[in-house]
Amino acid sequence: MTDKIRISDISKSFTLSRRKRKSALGGVRLTVSEGNFVVVLGRSGGGKSTLLNIVAGMVPPTSGEVTVDGSIVTSPDPSRILLTQQPTLLPWLTVEENVAFGCRLRGDTSDLMKRARHHLELVRMAGHETYLPGELSLGMQQRVCLARALMGEPDILLMDEPFGALDTFTRTRLHEEMIRIRETTSITVVFVTHDLDEALALGSRVVLLGGQPGNIVADFPVDRSYPRDPADPEIRKMKIEIMNRFWEMGP
Ligand SMILES: Nc1ncnc2c1ncn2[C@@H]1O[C@H](COP(=O)(O)OP(=O)(O)OP(=O)(O)O)[C@@H](O)[C@H]1O
């Protein structure tokens, strides 16, 4: 498999005041192959979002670089879509207009509404095309955001705790959608979470971001087929291994 994303010695510090700086990431190295589903797992405040924002091109690193297909990331790009915990739909546009929005903006208008409806079907939102976002539950809005992300046919999906605000049932359904999307596209996914069960349900690889400043402290390939059974002895063994690794890292 070819390297899609290469994160080389990324450090990031934030200036808090004239005398105070916060070092969020310290020399992160990570390579993600094309079509991989890598989950970045770590504690709250550990630097996960910062890392994802740097890969998205939204935030520059203090040092180091990220390359995608060999080119250095310097700004956001439609081939890399960032999906966050809060749905970001335009409230005055219908569901299908929201899904079509990015493509319309880029002048990519051929079969636009047909494609929007196809992507809504993909995330099981057919029948809701003419709804306004305010008429949908949070989980449904997040599905629409996913449809909008997929509509632009990105190479890379960057997901920052996208299902963190959802109830466990909706979240499980969305995990199923993600697995299905992954099986039917060649999309590369970097998914950030602090939920170990979610990481093991989705990731083909789970990397642990730990320490102060954050760094990759462990890398676990998850070589199990989907859908995964949390009672699978291999998954349970891996869960214990990852938990132990967390405890070793200290508070
Ligand atoms: N713009 C910023 N200015 C100052 N400090 C920041 C900024 N963004 C992040 N930080 C700090 O960097 C550290 C890492 O934050 P980050 O949001 O990346 O962590 P996280 O692992 O995604 O946390 P969570 O799981 O709670 O979202 C935190 O200490 C945070 O306070």
Side-chain angles (χ1 to χ4, degrees), residues 12-16 22-25 42-53 59 85 160-161 192-194 209 212:
K12 178 71 185 174
S13 15
F14 295 100
T15 304
L16 302 180
K22 164 84 198 178
S23 192
L25 296 172
R43 290 202 178 94
S44 191
K48 303 182 298 300
S49 299
T50 302
L51 183 62
L52 215 56
N53 286 333
V59 170
Q85 192 175 108
D160 191 356
E161 302 190 44
V192 154
T193 184
H194 42 58
L209 187 69
Q212 289 281 351

Side-chain angles (χ1 to χ4, degrees), residues 197 200 224 227-237 239:
D197 292 317
L200 287 170
R224 307 300 288 168
R228 293 189 182 139
D229 178 0
D232 172 349
E234 274 302 312
I235 294 286
R236 286 171 60 172
K237 196 170 133 212
K239 189 171 173 178

Side-chain angles (χ1 to χ4, degrees), residues 167-184:
D167 67 80
T168 182
F169 305 106
T170 310
R171 195 189 307 194
T172 306
R173 288 298 296 271
L174 277 159
H175 288 170
E176 288 166 13
E177 310 299 345
M178 281 311 300
I179 290 164
R180 206 164 40 81
I181 287 160
R182 204 199 146 203
E183 282 171 346
T184 52

